[in-house]
Amino acid sequence: MKFSVLTLFPEMFDVIKTSIIGKAIENKTIELELVNIRDFSKNKHKKVDDTPYGGGAGMVMVPDVVYDAYESVKTKNSKVIYLSPQGKTLNQKKVEDLSKENHIILLCGHYEGIDQRVLDEIVDEEISIGDYVLTGGEIPAMVVIDAVSRYIPGVISKDSINEESFANDNLLEYPQYTRPEEFHNMKVPEVLLSRPS
Ligand code: 4H6
């Protein structure tokens, strides 16, 4: 699985290069390509936004710069996902479906969003990670990368995929315990002590 991220803040993704996802990137189980949208600005000041037609607060990302960033990474089998508060809310079923893709392009918006015309042309799916507003699409993009990567063979053990997922019968996990048998006067439930750890 290859993820390409179109973002104004590629450094934010340093965070996801640590831990389990970082290991999966290092051993080439998954690939993470970071593209700085600003690199595609032809403006002498590297401007990527402009004021909205019709007025209103804030700025809108201009279409041509976003399109050129997209063109630099797209292949015949790329799926483009736009992370936005208006998108369809992500769930475990959607995550599992996305893990069957070959190349996912994650488009991260900033300011008040991106010019609708380039979205209409390149976006396959608009996804939200929940009903709240963030300053940018980067954290939602990282959520998608983390959740989808768990389904890629070799990222985590196969047992863990279904064990920790809500996909199966919508069952929540049981509470978990490890050593010691007693902590602050609280004991591990007796029924678990006879089982192998
Ligand atoms: C696209 C359009 C995703 C992206 C507008 C993104 C929450 C989620 C953004 C905006 C996001 C989510 C910019 C509108 C800041 C509000 C970035 N917020 N916004 N729930 N913000 O997945 O102002």
Side-chain angles (χ1 to χ4, degrees), residues 82-85 109-113 127-130 132-137 140:
Y82 180 47
L83 294 314
S84 99
H110 262 268
Y111 316 114
E112 298 309 305
I127 289 177
S128 160
I129 61 160
Y132 40 81
V133 178
L134 303 167
T135 57

Side-chain angles (χ1 to χ4, degrees), residues 15-170:
V15 171
I16 207 171
K17 291 180 193 156
T18 62
S19 182
I20 293 170
I21 305 301
K23 278 279 168 297
I25 294 166
E26 278 169 33
N27 63 36
K28 306 233 165 77
T29 309
I30 60 174
E31 192 183 338
L32 177 60
E33 174 183 37
L34 300 173
V35 174
N36 192 338
I37 294 170
R38 197 174 298 280
D39 290 346
F40 294 84
S41 173
K42 293 179 193 85
N43 183 278
K44 64 179 171 203
H45 302 112
K46 294 272 167 221
K47 200 172 143 72
V48 295
D49 60 344
D50 210 333
T51 53
Y53 278 113
M59 302 291 271
V60 175
M61 288 169 72
V62 299
D64 65 317
V65 179
V66 172
Y67 189 80
D68 290 350
Y70 157 75
E71 264 211 310
S72 79
V73 300
K74 70 153 193 248
T75 66
K76 279 122 284 171
N77 43 27
S78 303
K79 178 159 199 136
V80 178
I81 297 175
Y82 180 47
L83 294 314
S84 99
Q86 280 85 38
K88 186 155 182 258
T89 311
L90 188 65
N91 59 34
Q92 199 68 43
K93 167 71 164 59
K94 181 86 242 167
V95 168
E96 191 169 357
D97 288 348
L98 290 176
S99 73
K100 289 155 190 151
E101 297 291 335
N102 167 273
H103 180 211
I104 294 176
I105 299 174
L106 297 156
L107 175 57
C108 305
H110 262 268
Y111 316 114
E112 298 309 305
I114 302 176
D115 186 290
Q116 188 62 39
R117 293 166 295 179
V118 66
L119 298 177
D120 289 345
E121 191 154 316
I122 72 173
V123 173
D124 297 304
E125 273 196 67
E126 192 166 342
I127 289 177
S128 160
I129 61 160
D131 291 335
Y132 40 81
V133 178
L134 303 167
T135 57
E138 283 76 10
I139 291 171
M142 284 187 250
V143 167
V144 171
I145 293 167
D146 191 291
V148 170
S149 294
R150 293 181 64 258
Y151 283 93
I152 308 304
V155 174
I156 59 170
S157 82
K158 208 172 177 184
D159 284 356
S160 305
I161 297 176
N162 285 333
E163 190 124 324
E164 288 164 27
S165 132
F166 294 91
N168 293 304
D169 292 350
N170 228 7

Side-chain angles (χ1 to χ4, degrees), residues 163-164 166 171-179 186-193 195-196:
E163 190 124 324
E164 288 164 27
F166 294 91
L171 282 177
L172 285 157
E173 275 205 325
Y174 291 103
Q176 301 292 311
Y177 300 90
T178 186
R179 276 178 278 274
M186 293 175 281
K187 289 186 172 65
V188 173
E190 193 67 42
V191 65
L192 298 176
L193 293 175
R195 292 176 175 274

